[in-house]
Amino acid sequence: MTFKIAASPHTHQRRTTQQVMRWVYLALIPGVLAQTYFFGFGVYIQLALALLTAWVAEGLCMRMRGRPIGHAWQDHTAIVTAVLLAISIPALAPWWIVVMGTAFAIVVVKHVYGGVGQNLFNPAMAGYVLLLVSFPVQMTSWPIPAELAQIQVSITDTLNLIFTGFTSAGYNLEQLRMGIDGMTMATPLDSLRNDLNHQLTLTEALNKPIFGDIAGIGWAWVNLAFLAGGLVLIKQKIISWHIPGGMLVGLLVPAAIYWLFNPDQAITPMLHLLSGATMLGAFFIATDPVTAATSNKGRWVFGLLVGFIVFAIRTWGGYPDAVAFAVLLANMCVPVIDRYTQPIAYGHGGRS
């Protein structure tokens, strides 16, 4: 399978699926490093578990379908799915969380629909949503940034927490979630949304140490790192600017309007931009070439739709972050978007 990246109506820059996927996971490296710096080595463990699960699931599915296994492993699509899912879940989530989500993404979302290029939904986000609605406690228990943690978790304790649920000192995940040692707490978006729902003003809610000076300690830098990687993908013409640009506009414009009219009870545009999975979603998730719109106009509309849904769910919905839900809902709308945004073929007249 080869993606064609158009440079003009009659010339194309051809890249294989393997080359495109390699650029994607290489561009993810800055964000992964930033996540590890702020949230610990559990990020690497989740990545290893997801990659191993994706490798096994991909091989089993190809064997059952009577297809060459080696070709499936070489196109790197399973690698990107595994990486995107692994960095979307909390670094200290139990091992079976990432294994279950990755297996569902590869087996059900990808191969049940026919494999590469046939899936209707973004596999990583479908796996993420399955986990979020099934195991909300495990999926929302993010570690606080290392500089705020009262106890620094070693690599050994990280392994113990992920595989056994206990640290060497005897703390289990439930005790940590209850705040016995102050190691886990809500993400900035979750904390802010809960405080605003309890009628605190924005100024009062932002007084917590987790927010720091920009948009949440750790989270702002992670988003900036994913932004840097995304800009590399645009420069290399792996993705076009239309989807990330549309998503950021679709999120920031309504967020700014809502904040201007309700400054004490609305999340600021900067927090929307640099918290949660905003940049990861804009440049690496929504831009999936299989499940997004195909024309530049359609991509712009698709991005706007994703951004607005993210804003709506963060503002009025039941989940603090909304990128996964927004992408899946927009995936459902792609046939309609493509129907009304496909350019008219030269010499074939207008659209009836």
Side-chain angles (χ1 to χ4, degrees), residues 229-252:
L231 293 177
V232 170
L233 293 183
I234 292 177
K235 182 172 179 57
Q236 292 296 323
K237 298 184 178 179
I238 301 297
I239 63 174
S240 71
W241 60 268
H242 299 83
I243 291 177
M247 177 178 164
L248 296 180
V249 170
L251 171 62
L252 290 180

Side-chain angles (χ1 to χ4, degrees), residues 131-313:
L131 296 173
L132 184 59
V133 299
S134 302
F135 311 104
V137 174
Q138 290 84 354
M139 288 294 289
T140 55
S141 296
W142 279 85
I144 65 171
E147 61 189 87
L148 295 180
Q150 298 176 13
I151 297 178
Q152 299 300 316
V153 181
S154 65
I155 297 178
T156 302
D157 278 341
T158 299
L159 286 166
N160 287 334
L161 282 168
I162 291 173
F163 288 100
T164 71
F166 292 89
T167 68
S168 57
Y171 292 121
N172 61 34
L173 288 173
E174 185 62 30
Q175 290 172 321
L176 295 177
R177 283 193 290 269
M178 295 299 292
I180 285 181
D181 61 2
M183 194 185 70
T184 61
M185 63 187 300
T187 63
L189 277 175
D190 196 13
S191 175
L192 182 57
R193 192 175 65 91
N194 289 335
D195 287 343
L196 294 178
N197 287 340
H198 286 87
Q199 303 306 310
L200 271 69
T201 66
L202 180 64
T203 302
E204 293 170 336
L206 292 176
N207 281 332
K208 291 184 177 179
I210 192 174
F211 289 102
D213 297 326
I214 306 176
I217 293 177
W219 291 95
W221 290 108
V222 168
N223 273 276
L224 289 173
F226 284 126
L227 170 61
L231 293 177
V232 170
L233 293 183
I234 292 177
K235 182 172 179 57
Q236 292 296 323
K237 298 184 178 179
I238 301 297
I239 63 174
S240 71
W241 60 268
H242 299 83
I243 291 177
M247 177 178 164
L248 296 180
V249 170
L251 171 62
L252 290 180
V253 170
I257 294 173
Y258 190 69
W259 177 67
L260 287 173
F261 281 94
N262 193 17
D264 287 334
Q265 291 294 314
I267 300 174
T268 66
M270 185 62 70
L271 270 165
H272 274 296
L273 189 66
L274 296 178
S275 289
T278 301
M279 295 301 174
L280 177 64
F283 290 94
F284 295 94
I285 296 173
T287 52
D288 176 15
V290 175
T291 57
T294 54
S295 68
N296 284 339
K297 183 179 179 181
R299 291 168 184 156
W300 177 251
V301 173
F302 178 85
L304 287 172
L305 179 61
V306 172
F308 180 78
I309 295 174
V310 169
F311 163 74
I313 296 178

Side-chain angles (χ1 to χ4, degrees), residues 3-159:
F3 293 115
K4 298 178 182 179
I5 303 176
S8 72
H10 304 292
T11 61
H12 294 85
Q13 181 182 5
R14 292 177 178 268
R15 282 193 174 97
T16 64
T17 304
Q18 183 185 48
Q19 291 171 330
V20 171
M21 295 298 107
R22 184 184 295 120
W23 269 109
V24 171
Y25 64 70
L26 288 176
L28 284 165
I29 290 176
V32 172
L33 293 176
Q35 273 194 326
T36 305
Y37 177 80
F38 288 104
F39 302 117
F41 290 101
V43 175
Y44 292 150
I45 299 171
Q46 302 295 345
L47 281 169
L49 289 170
L51 289 169
L52 178 60
T53 303
W55 184 77
V56 173
E58 187 92 337
L60 290 175
C61 287
M62 295 301 286
R63 175 63 63 86
M64 293 174 64
R65 296 174 61 196
R67 304 288 182 84
I69 297 177
H71 178 73
W73 286 336
Q74 291 171 3
D75 67 19
H76 293 187
T77 55
I79 293 177
V80 172
T81 296
V83 172
L84 288 176
L85 181 58
I87 61 179
S88 298
I89 67 174
L92 296 177
W95 65 269
W96 47 267
I97 287 284
V98 72
V99 169
M100 182 182 300
T102 305
F104 177 81
I106 299 296
V107 175
V108 178
V109 186
K110 180 180 178 181
H111 281 284
V112 166
Y113 284 94
V116 178
Q118 305 299 318
N119 47 288
L120 302 178
F121 301 100
N122 184 292
M125 292 302 95
Y128 178 88
V129 167
L130 170 75
L131 296 173
L132 184 59
V133 299
S134 302
F135 311 104
V137 174
Q138 290 84 354
M139 288 294 289
T140 55
S141 296
W142 279 85
I144 65 171
E147 61 189 87
L148 295 180
Q150 298 176 13
I151 297 178
Q152 299 300 316
V153 181
S154 65
I155 297 178
T156 302
D157 278 341
T158 299
L159 286 166

